């Protein structure tokens, strides 16, 4: 993953892009904790909302892998299924860790 | 510098848009939801507003609608910023937006946003109104559609609920209202949203609403059904349910309890009426027999004293008190819709003329004016009760005109259709209307609501019992009629009484006798009370009659059998312990089909007397009676050929 390339792809300067990524990390962190609570409680509606938020934001910034995992989780939760949701959260967290390393 | 407002609930989107536009030299403000946006718009008039579609606290569609209603923002350029609008073929023009830009990777979005602004700057339309820009690269169409369909699902549920549902912020600002709530509050949605919840209610309820929000709301709270608040003349109970989400929003459930409350009040009144009725019915019989005893003794004593005797006046006082006493039970029974003993077709005009004449003779300071319809329909009624109604009305009018005045009595025919527009829904048919108008003190609105309540009076102790109008109301209702009041403080009052017309022909009323009429015939007096037998026998003998007595029904049959050739008529008490009046009547009639019987009673069940009269019984007299009354009834029956 190359930030400069990503930044160029969506038409931003490096530092602008970094600022947005930092904000993205923050909102994702709160979405992730919301997800974990919601999965524990089996609250599919909350899962849908949090996953939806992650999906949109990551797509905005071009993090398409994270976006597609979130998308699948959202879709399942909408069908009342939390199967694989916990694993998906882990995958997203790993993806976020990778981004964090680059910051 | 062009002013711009961006409204979106995702911080990332807000920051991106703010940075992008600031960099391009625009003045930018950001809001994370519709409510915040409206707050900003109070003092900040932008040229362009970007609005996200799905947001908490007033969504994008609502926000557009509200903005379009604000005069100073009518020309602002509204750009919808949403993935969903692109998915669902929503037409932005439908809710007042100009165009829609789809969300997606920032580079594409940035391009679309800046293009749109450039064109708008140059006065070129960025596309025909309602255009959706940037839809080409959007994925996940299915999901968004479903997101919307779930929303629609809730929308349908909320839309079909009869309870009003509001969502409000902890500061009590309204951010959502379902159709039932809108109907109850009776305001357009644009006006209601973002307004203060407490302001919807009347001043008098403000403190209670404030108390509801008093401390932090952790558990549901309510304004219960038995002490509702008022909202546009409806009575509303409230339930506040805290959502416990991160914004601490509150769901308010509004329940219209007006009808239920009204029914409860009615039920209470019916119970009160029944209780008074049972009580009054229970004592009326004994009470009236007692009064009969007093009346009888006084009548007999009056025979021995002439008007110069010092006791003459005292005895007449006793007679008057007896009348007041029996009026009391009549008023109570009237209120309880009882005491309709003898229902027959009568001419209301005649009653009005007679009663008003008697009344006018003693109340010279009241000028009585009559306007009676010549072709007035007969009514089917208990004459005694209608007289009671009229006298109550006259007395009230007279008391309302302490310095004298005019009393107008007007009768006319009418129909249920002409009675429309009243509080009640009259049964179809012809009616007789009696309007009683005085030029007295009038009744203010607060008092007017209570005048028909039993024991409600504005008169000082000893002057009014507050039973007049309560009994009037009960009697009119008992006769299938309606009563209305129209009054203005200081100007006077009109009571309008409508009674159902009867197709039967009115029975000619016999003349009232003011002097005792004597006779020599033989009368059998049947009553189980010694006191009545005692005074009754002597009263009749004083009138010249030969009197036989019987204290039970079996005795009555025996005496009649033994003396049937001698007995010219029977006076029969309706309530005998061993056999009811109707049965004794039938037995006597078997013995002699042309027997003449006068029923007498202190109290009987409604319609019982009427039934016996319908079987051929010749008359009815209410206890307590005096010499003049009983002698008149007897002559009426015996002299009839
Ligand atoms: N014609 C009228 N003009 C003004 N006020 C009236 C009139 N009729 C009734 N009211 C008001 O309605 C109240 C109730 O009347 P209602 O006849 O039931 O009782 P009352 O006259 O006070 O007592 P009661 O009739 O038992 O002697 C009165 O006290 C009076 O305030
Ligand atoms: Mg009165």
């Amino acid at each position: 993953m190359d930030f400069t390339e990503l930044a160029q792809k969506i038409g931003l300067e490096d530092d602008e892009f970094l600022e947005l990524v930092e904000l993205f990390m923050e909102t994702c962190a709160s979405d992730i904790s919301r997800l974990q609570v919601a999965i524990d409680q089996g609250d599919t509606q909350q899962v849908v909302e949090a996953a939806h938020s992650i999906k949109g934001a990551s797509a905005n910034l071009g993090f398409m892998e994270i976006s597609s995992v979130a998308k699948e989780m959202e879709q399942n939760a909408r069908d009342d299924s939390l199967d694989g949701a916990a694993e998906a959260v882990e995958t997203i967290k790993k993806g976020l860790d990778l981004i964090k390393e680059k910051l | 510098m062009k002013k711009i407002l961006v409204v979106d609930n995702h911080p990332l989107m807000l920051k991106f848009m703010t940075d992008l536009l600031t960099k391009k030299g625009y003045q930018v403000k950001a809001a994370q939801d519709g409510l915040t946006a409206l707050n900003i718009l109070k003092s900040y008039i932008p040229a362009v507003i970007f609005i996200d579609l799905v947001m908490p606290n007033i969504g994008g569609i609502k926000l557009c609608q509200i903005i379009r209603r604000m005069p100073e923002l009518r020309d602002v350029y509204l750009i919808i910023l949403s993935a969903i609008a692109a998915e669902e073929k929503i037409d932005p023009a439908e809710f007042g937006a100009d165009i829609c830009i789809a969300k997606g990777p920032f580079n594409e979005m940035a391009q679309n946003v800046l293009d749109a602004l450039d064109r708008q700057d140059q006065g070129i339309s960025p596309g025909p109104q309602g255009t959706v820009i940037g839809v080409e690269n959007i994925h996940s169409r299915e999901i968004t559609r479903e997101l919307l369909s779930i929303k629609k699902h809730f929308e349908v549920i909320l839309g079909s609920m009869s309870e009003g549902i509001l969502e409000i912020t902890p500061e009590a600002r309204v951010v959502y209202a379902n159709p039932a709530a809108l109907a109850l509050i009776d305001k357009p949605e644009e006006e209601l949203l973002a307004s203060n919840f407490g302001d919807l209610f009347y001043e008098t309820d403000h403190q209670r609403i404030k108390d509801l929000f008093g401390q932090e709301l952790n558990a549901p709270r309510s304004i219960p059904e038995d002490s509702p608040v008022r909202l546009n003349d409806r009575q509303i109970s409230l339930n506040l349910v805290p959502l416990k989400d991160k914004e601490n929003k509150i769901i308010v459930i509004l329940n219209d309890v007006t009808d239920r409350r009204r029914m409860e009040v009615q039920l209470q009144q019916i119970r009160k009426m029944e209780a008074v009725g049972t009580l009054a019915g229970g004592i009326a019989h004994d009470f009236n027999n007692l009064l009969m005893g007093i009346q009888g003794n006084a009548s007999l004593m009056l025979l021995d004293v002439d008007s110069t005797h010092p006791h003459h006046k005292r005895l007449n006082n006793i007679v008057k008190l007896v009348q007041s006493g029996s009026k009391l039970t009549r008023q109570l029974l009237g209120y309880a819709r009882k005491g309709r003993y003898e229902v027959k077709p009568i001419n209301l005009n005649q009653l009005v003329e007679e009663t008003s004449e008697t009344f006018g003779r003693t109340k010279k300071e009241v000028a009585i004016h009559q306007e009676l319809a010549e072709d007035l329909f007969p009514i089917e009624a208990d004459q005694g009760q209608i007289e009671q109604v009229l006298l109550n009305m006259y007395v009230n009018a007279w008391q309302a005109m302490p310095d004298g005045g005019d009393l107008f009595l007007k009768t006319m025919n009418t129909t249920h259709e002409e009675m429309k527009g009243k509080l009640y829904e009259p049964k179809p048919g012809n009616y007789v209307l009696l309007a009683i108008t005085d030029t007295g003190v009038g009744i203010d609105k607060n008092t007017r609501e209570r005048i028909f309540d039993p024991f409600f009076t504005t008169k000082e102790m000893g002057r009014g019992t507050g039973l007049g109008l309560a009994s009037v109301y009960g009697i009119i209702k008992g006769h299938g009629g309606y009563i209305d009041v129209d009054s203005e403080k200081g100007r006077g009052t009109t009571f309008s009484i409508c009674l159902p017309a009867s197709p039967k022909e009115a029975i000619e009323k016999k003349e009232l006798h003011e002097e005792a009429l004597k006779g020599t015939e033989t009368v059998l007096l049947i009553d189980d009370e010694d006191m009545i037998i005692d005074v009754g026998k002597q009263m009749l003998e004083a009138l010249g009659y030969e009197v036989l007595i019987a204290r039970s029904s079996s005795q009555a049959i025996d005496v009649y059998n033994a003396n049937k050739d001698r007995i010219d008529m029977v006076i029969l008490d309706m309530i005998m312990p061993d056999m009811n009046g109707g049965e004794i009547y039938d037995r006597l009639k078997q013995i002699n089909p042309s027997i003449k019987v006068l029923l007498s009673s202190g109290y009987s069940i409604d319609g019982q007397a009427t039934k016996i009269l319908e079987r051929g019984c010749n008359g009815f007299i209410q206890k307590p009676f005096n010499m003049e009354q009983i002698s008149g009834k007897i002559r009426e029956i015996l002299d009839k050929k």
Side-chain angles (χ1 to χ4, degrees), chain B residues 546-612:
Chain B
E546 187 100 10
V547 184
L548 301 175
I549 53 169
R551 286 190 165 84
S552 71
S553 42
S554 55
Q555 205 183 355
I557 306 293
D558 290 347
V559 174
Y560 190 77
N561 262 326
N563 300 280
K564 57 173 173 281
D565 298 334
R566 230 156 50 91
I567 295 174
D568 297 294
M569 77 173 283
V570 176
I571 298 174
L572 170 63
D573 180 54
M574 269 189 34
I575 303 184
M576 298 290 286
D578 50 348
M579 199 190 283
N580 73 43
E583 278 175 74
I584 307 177
Y585 175 74
D586 292 342
R587 294 277 291 276
L588 291 172
K589 189 138 177 138
Q590 267 173 9
I591 303 169
N592 175 9
S594 59
I595 188 169
K596 290 177 172 170
V597 178
L598 172 63
L599 281 178
S600 90
S601 175
Y603 170 70
S604 79
I605 302 163
D606 278 5
Q608 205 176 343
T610 311
K611 265 187 216 144
I612 304 174

Side-chain angles (χ1 to χ4, degrees), chain B residues 392 395-396 399 459 468-469:
Chain B
N392 272 311
V395 170
N396 280 347
Q399 288 172 334
K459 294 162 193 170
L469 287 178

Side-chain angles (χ1 to χ4, degrees), chain B residues 244-261:
Chain B
K244 293 183 179 158
D245 58 1
K246 58 178 187 298
E247 284 150 288
N248 284 324
K249 274 194 295 198
I250 301 159
I251 297 291
V252 184
I253 304 167
L254 299 97
N255 243 316
D256 185 348
V257 296
T258 317
D259 293 342
R260 221 178 306 163
R261 295 269 301 164

Side-chain angles (χ1 to χ4, degrees), chain B residues 321-492:
Chain B
L321 291 170
V322 167
Q323 279 161 7
S324 306
S326 83
K327 181 178 159 200
L328 204 60
T329 43
R330 279 205 309 276
Q331 300 273 60
L332 283 171
L333 289 172
Y335 161 66
R337 304 190 191 176
K338 291 187 166 166
R340 242 173 307 126
Y341 301 126
E342 196 187 356
V343 178
K344 54 187 186 192
I346 52 174
N347 180 348
L348 181 63
N349 281 346
Q350 201 179 344
L351 281 190
V352 170
E353 276 172 44
E354 282 169 9
T355 48
S356 64
E357 205 218 292
T358 321
F359 180 78
R361 233 184 287 146
T362 54
K363 308 288 173 344
K364 292 268 189 275
E365 63 276 30
V366 176
I368 300 177
H369 313 271
Q370 296 180 353
E371 193 187 328
L372 308 179
E374 271 172 26
D375 57 347
L376 196 70
F377 297 129
I379 55 169
E380 260 170 272
D382 182 292
Q383 183 183 317
Q385 283 206 316
I386 301 299
E387 283 171 357
Q388 187 183 336
V389 165
L390 294 172
L391 278 177
N392 272 311
M393 304 308 284
Y394 302 159
V395 170
N396 280 347
W398 169 66
Q399 288 172 334
M401 302 186 286
D403 303 322
D406 296 295
L407 177 61
F408 299 90
L409 304 171
K410 185 181 172 184
T411 60
M412 60 186 277
N413 290 328
T414 184
T415 65
H416 70 280
E417 270 163 13
E418 288 165 40
M419 290 154 66
K420 265 189 190 141
K422 300 288 169 63
L423 286 171
Y424 47 80
E425 185 94 3
K427 286 207 189 104
N430 287 326
Y431 285 82
V432 166
L433 168 73
L434 167 64
I436 299 154
T437 304
D438 65 55
T439 54
V441 294
I443 314 171
D444 64 39
K445 191 168 175 290
N446 281 344
T447 310
R448 208 158 27 188
E449 277 172 18
R450 305 187 52 197
I451 52 172
F452 294 109
D453 291 352
F455 308 111
F456 173 80
T457 178
T458 58
K459 294 162 193 170
E460 70 259 38
M461 271 294 258
R463 190 137 191 247
T465 51
L467 280 173
L469 287 178
S471 74
V472 164
Y473 188 84
I475 290 171
I476 297 303
K477 281 280 152 198
H479 283 82
Y482 303 90
I483 181 165
D484 248 336
V485 59
D486 188 14
S487 182
E488 207 177 304
K489 189 90 193 144
R491 281 285 180 78

Side-chain angles (χ1 to χ4, degrees), chain A residues 9-12 16 19-20 23-24 27 52-53 55 57 59-61 64 71 74-75 78-79, chain B residues 10-13 15-16 19 23 103-107 109 139-140 142-144 146-147 150 246:
Chain A
K9 212 168 160 189
I10 65 171
L12 291 175
E16 289 170 340
E19 261 183 63
L20 284 178
L23 182 60
F24 167 75
T27 57
H52 187 75
S53 168
K55 181 196 70 177
N60 288 151
L61 291 176
M64 296 323 289
K71 174 183 162 183
E74 179 188 348
Q75 207 153 17
R78 211 178 285 287
D79 293 334
Chain B
H10 204 290
L12 190 66
M13 189 59 75
K15 177 162 172 51
F16 166 71
D19 288 354
K23 207 162 77 183
K103 282 181 180 173
F106 280 153
N107 61 329
M109 257 187 74
H139 344 268
S140 61
E142 307 306 311
I143 293 180
T144 17
E146 274 190 56
L147 180 70
I150 286 192
K246 58 178 187 298

Side-chain angles (χ1 to χ4, degrees), chain B residues 197-239:
Chain B
F197 175 70
D199 293 346
L200 300 174
F201 299 90
Y202 291 94
E203 193 72 42
T204 42
D205 288 326
H206 278 180
Q207 192 54 44
R208 294 181 63 204
I209 302 281
K210 226 169 138 188
D211 291 345
L212 266 189
F213 290 88
Q215 301 140 22
E216 207 185 327
L217 196 65
N218 297 318
R221 264 186 221 154
S222 64
I223 286 194
E225 195 183 318
D226 52 10
S227 56
V229 285
R230 263 176 62 213
L231 186 62
N232 301 321
D233 280 331
R234 307 296 292 172
Q235 303 194 50
I236 306 283
S237 75
L238 297 178
N239 280 298

